[in-house]
Amino acid sequence: MSVGFDVVSLASAADREAELEELRAGLTGAPRELQPRWLYDERGSRLFDEITRLPEYYLTRAERSILRRDAAEIARLTGADTLVELGAGTADKTRLLLDALAPRRFVALELSESALARSSKALAREYPATEVVGVAGDFRRHLALLPSGGRRLLAFLGSTIGNLTPPLRARFLRDVADALAGGDAFLLGVDLVKEPARLLAAYQDAAGVTRAFELNVLRVLNRELGADFAPEAFEYAARWDPAAEWIEMSLRSLRDQTVRLPALGLELGFAAGEPMRTEVSAKFRITGIAAELRAAGLGVTRSWTDDAGDFALVLAERL
Ligand code: AVJ
């Protein structure tokens, strides 16, 4: 039996407007910043995939090792018949959950419609008893519009939540709580605070893949918004912020220069050395994230770490 797959899009003209408004605010603010979603065009997604296999980037391997060991217990504790993955990205960790849950339905929420169509088709073929629904949308905007019904496990893996600053994180977690029905569960992957040298190495890999990934955002803005960023006129830098407990990634202008963004009617003057933040990657403590979840109306039922204690999976439900 094969129940096949479907791909739907939630993106509206209003969302596009909001996205561009956020981009404008970030580019003209002091200091300048971009939203991480602009990093993920086809090439960006491919480069990120490469990052997950770098020797310095322990996050993906650590999370996968937890899922290998504990997915069966997660399945037993949640009793979920529907798996909803937010920001699905690479699907190998998804497979570990699908194998353990054998759900009736799998819903993948992702930005890129083309990547969704590809992965949905492949998963539908591999899991013929599971209905696969690819939803093109943004986890920051579309949680309330996801298919409901059944007993759902919402999974947000990979420490993607680390990209959100504390106010956006609080808002996102409240949206998750609102989206959950009684009996639903939320599975969150978080990278844990550790020695800064190891954290920094994960974002300053020797092969320069992270640098290429971050610089790629300028090509995305050039192509999608008609901007004229010269990627060779910027350098990539990562630093650990001990107060915020996050890695801050930015592109620094190598000279005084002016960049035009006709789609936003902007002309931006960059001074030599001026940074533009591309991402933060917040690191967590189990007690801290449990408190944030609680403030959003979510209670932790269990958490697991990998053997080295580098990464955690946290399971929560509505209080
Ligand atoms: C996808 C946000 C989890 O912060 O580790 C990795 C993104 N950027 N290397 C992370 C990223 C550069 C990644 N997240």
Side-chain angles (χ1 to χ4, degrees):
M1 171 194 65
S2 174
V3 288
F5 74 100
D6 203 6
V7 174
V8 297
S9 177
L10 298 178
S12 69
D15 292 328
R16 182 70 181 173
E17 277 307 302
E19 228 167 39
L20 292 179
E21 212 24 71
E22 213 176 2
L23 178 64
R24 170 201 303 279
L27 281 170
T28 55
R32 302 183 199 280
E33 64 178 38
L34 294 173
Q35 294 304 322
R37 59 93 65 230
W38 298 101
L39 293 161
Y40 296 93
D41 67 339
E42 288 273 337
R43 180 164 180 268
S45 300
R46 202 155 23 77
L47 285 166
F48 179 68
D49 226 56
E50 226 177 289
I51 287 174
T52 66
R53 291 188 295 271
L54 290 169
E56 298 94 336
Y57 197 79
Y58 57 86
L59 290 79
T60 312
R61 282 183 298 277
E63 187 175 50
R64 192 186 301 123
S65 79
I66 304 172
L67 284 170
R68 268 208 205 98
R69 192 190 57 205
D70 300 312
E73 190 181 10
I74 292 166
R76 189 174 53 71
L77 287 170
T78 62
D81 62 20
T82 297
L83 174 63
V84 181
E85 192 173 7
L86 311 177
T90 61
D92 61 315
K93 285 175 289 175
T94 308
R95 286 181 174 81
L96 292 171
L97 280 172
L98 288 173
D99 290 341
L101 290 165
R104 207 165 43 72
R105 193 164 51 140
F106 171 59
V107 180
L109 177 73
E110 229 201 76
L111 282 172
S112 153
E113 211 167 325
S114 55
L116 260 177
R118 255 197 321 269
S119 63
S120 301
K121 191 169 171 188
L123 287 172
R125 193 173 298 148
E126 281 174 62
Y127 295 87
T130 300
E131 176 194 357
V132 177
V133 185
V135 180
D138 187 334
F139 59 77
R140 282 189 45 209
R141 305 181 197 281
H142 298 130
L143 292 190
L145 302 178
L146 288 168
S148 57
R151 203 176 162 102
R152 298 186 307 166
L153 173 62
L154 258 69
F156 193 43
L157 302 178
S159 206
T160 304
I161 193 172
N163 264 168
L164 302 179
T165 55
L168 293 178
R169 217 149 73 204
R171 158 105 200 269
F172 169 76
L173 291 176
R174 277 199 308 275
D175 288 347
V176 168
D178 286 345
L180 294 186
D184 287 351
F186 178 49
L187 183 68
L188 178 65
V190 289
D191 192 19
L192 298 173
V193 173
K194 58 183 64 64
E195 200 194 322
R198 275 193 70 215
L199 286 169
L200 270 169
Y203 298 89
Q204 292 173 328
D205 61 290
V209 183
T210 307
R211 175 179 174 278
F213 172 69
E214 302 292 331
L215 281 165
N216 181 61
V217 78
L218 302 180
R219 296 167 46 156
V220 176
L221 296 178
N222 286 352
R223 193 187 57 242
E224 291 194 20
L225 301 173
D228 65 351
F229 281 102
E232 67 285 353
F234 289 84
E235 67 176 0
Y236 166 66
R239 67 176 201 100
W240 170 244
D241 181 330
E245 295 195 316
W246 64 38
I247 295 282
E248 183 177 72
M249 288 163 262
S250 45
L251 297 175
R252 282 174 202 286
S253 179
L254 287 169
R255 47 173 156 87
D256 292 342
Q257 56 180 319
T258 303
V259 176
R260 273 155 294 268
L261 278 99
L264 296 178
L266 286 179
E267 239 185 63
L268 305 171
F270 283 86
E274 186 177 344
M276 174 168 66
R277 187 167 89 183
T278 49
E279 293 188 79
V280 297
S281 184
K283 306 305 168 187
F284 299 86
R285 300 168 190 274
I286 305 257
T287 49
I289 192 65
E292 288 186 41
L293 285 160
R294 174 165 291 274
L298 294 163
V300 173
T301 47
R302 265 223 61 175
S303 64
W304 301 264
T305 62
D306 61 308
D307 292 340
D310 285 337
F311 198 95
L313 282 184
V314 178
L315 187 65
E317 59 188 26
R318 256 188 110 128
L319 284 170

